[in-house]
Amino acid sequence: MSSRSLNNSVEETNNNNNGPYYYYSTNNEAKSSTTFHNNSNSNANPNEVHKFSSFASHWWDSRSNPLVGMNPIRIKFLRDVVDSFQPTAGQGSTPQPIIQLPLHNKRILDIGCGGGLLTESLSRLGASLVVGVDASTQVVEVAKRHSFHENSRLVLPSSSELQDGNGLVETSSSSSRDIRYIGGITVEELASNWLQKHEQEKSSSSTINASSSSQNHELFDIITALEIIEHVPNPSSLLNAAKSLLKPNGILLVSTINRTVKSYGLAIIAAEYISGKVPIGTHTWDMFWSPEEVEQMICSSSSSYQSYGNDANGKMKQIALSGMVLQPPFINMEWKLDGNDTDVNWIGAYQKQQV
């Protein structure tokens, strides 16, 4: 993959003229951003992408977007899971800081990041790198603009990352925090790009074998796919691609809406047609998924995407599950976690097993 010198901006174009292009800018209007173009085989429904693109300007408005009120309990669930199943390990004999943020030194991929609600929260909790991916370039533009908030802690890609061409390989110190937004691409395309990159490196490398630990370093400790699988044509494809980008022991978090009579009444009739809290047409009941169906897709199906590093099988195990319940008075849009009620909104965690 060719590279050009860094001036005010750098554009990286792959060798295939039909492929995506990568654009970084050192000016403040496009800081820490990347733009991709989808191909015709993308696992993205154009109607769904248009729907959320038209909603982009209201993304951070709690009166219009229920995810604003839901975000704190999603974060609580994630923190509880990480604390229990992926505690931060000490490095050698170096003592850990007395005060350490919950996601210290974690690399996280946020699939369907939208306007950056979850992405920014993950960065503030100490993640060294958070990559936000969304098929809509419009909502990613909203995320980029909002990220200039002082707590977003954006930093620019280094020159070596620009030359690498994908902008996702962290080369700075682990103490830095970095958000990268990628618009107009699906996670399947992202996984395919990474596979192609590693295959090119393997064929051109002067060493016999690339280091598994080095490849694993470029993968993610945590991947989130929250409120996204009910909006794509092929959820299994999205989940398999996500699994392929997880490190061994990595955790995939998925949330969606269960396909029940109750969910039809609350998530569609009440939310869209009665209260107007959600735009009419946001959800399609037939595209809702039960916890059992998602567990089957993640833990039982074989991935069509190659795993990197030393974890070729990529076997997954469900480790946590909870409902996300809207509390009365419903107009306040306040949520709570409830392990006994997954009838409507729910969230699960799945861990890639060591082999």
Side-chain angles (χ1 to χ4, degrees), residues 109-168:
L109 174 63
D110 182 14
I111 303 171
C113 66
L117 283 170
L118 180 66
T119 319
E120 288 195 17
S121 297
L122 297 172
S123 178
R124 288 195 293 270
L125 287 172
S128 61
L129 173 67
V130 187
V131 178
V133 176
D134 201 286
S136 168
T137 56
Q138 284 86 347
V139 294
V140 165
E141 288 300 316
V142 169
K144 285 156 50 179
R145 289 196 296 271
H146 195 275
S147 290
F148 290 112
H149 188 281
E150 62 180 3
N151 288 330
S152 296
R153 302 184 176 97
L154 290 178
V155 300
L156 285 169
S158 67
S159 59
S160 61
E161 291 171 317
L162 292 172
Q163 292 169 2
D164 172 73
N166 63 17
L168 303 183

Side-chain angles (χ1 to χ4, degrees), residues 11-119:
E11 183 177 282
E12 292 290 343
T13 308
N14 69 2
N15 294 326
N16 183 347
N17 292 331
N18 295 323
Y21 71 84
Y22 306 78
Y23 177 76
Y24 305 88
S25 175
T26 57
N27 61 47
N28 288 333
E29 293 182 356
K31 185 168 65 170
S32 195
S33 65
T34 311
T35 301
F36 294 69
H37 286 280
N38 279 333
N39 61 44
S40 59
N41 296 321
S42 171
N43 183 26
N45 183 331
N47 293 330
E48 293 289 315
V49 174
H50 174 75
K51 180 194 306 179
F52 288 102
S53 296
S54 63
F55 182 70
S57 61
H58 301 286
W59 206 273
W60 286 84
D61 185 353
S62 61
R63 297 166 297 180
S64 303
N65 188 355
L67 297 182
V68 176
M70 183 187 287
N71 200 50
I73 65 165
R74 302 192 301 183
I75 290 294
K76 182 182 187 307
F77 181 85
L78 182 149
R79 289 187 58 177
D80 290 345
V81 168
V82 170
D83 288 345
S84 298
F85 295 93
Q86 200 185 69
T88 301
Q91 299 178 354
S93 59
T94 304
Q96 292 295 305
I98 296 176
I99 298 176
Q100 185 167 281
L101 291 172
L103 301 180
H104 171 72
N105 212 29
K106 303 290 187 184
R107 293 171 57 88
I108 304 177
L109 174 63
D110 182 14
I111 303 171
C113 66
L117 283 170
L118 180 66
T119 319

Side-chain angles (χ1 to χ4, degrees), residues 285-305:
W285 186 80
D286 289 341
M287 297 179 70
F288 293 170
W289 296 92
S290 71
E292 295 77 16
E293 289 170 329
V294 172
E295 182 182 11
Q296 177 75 14
M297 283 191 282
I298 294 175
C299 301
S300 298
S301 62
S302 60
S303 175
S304 59
Y305 293 86

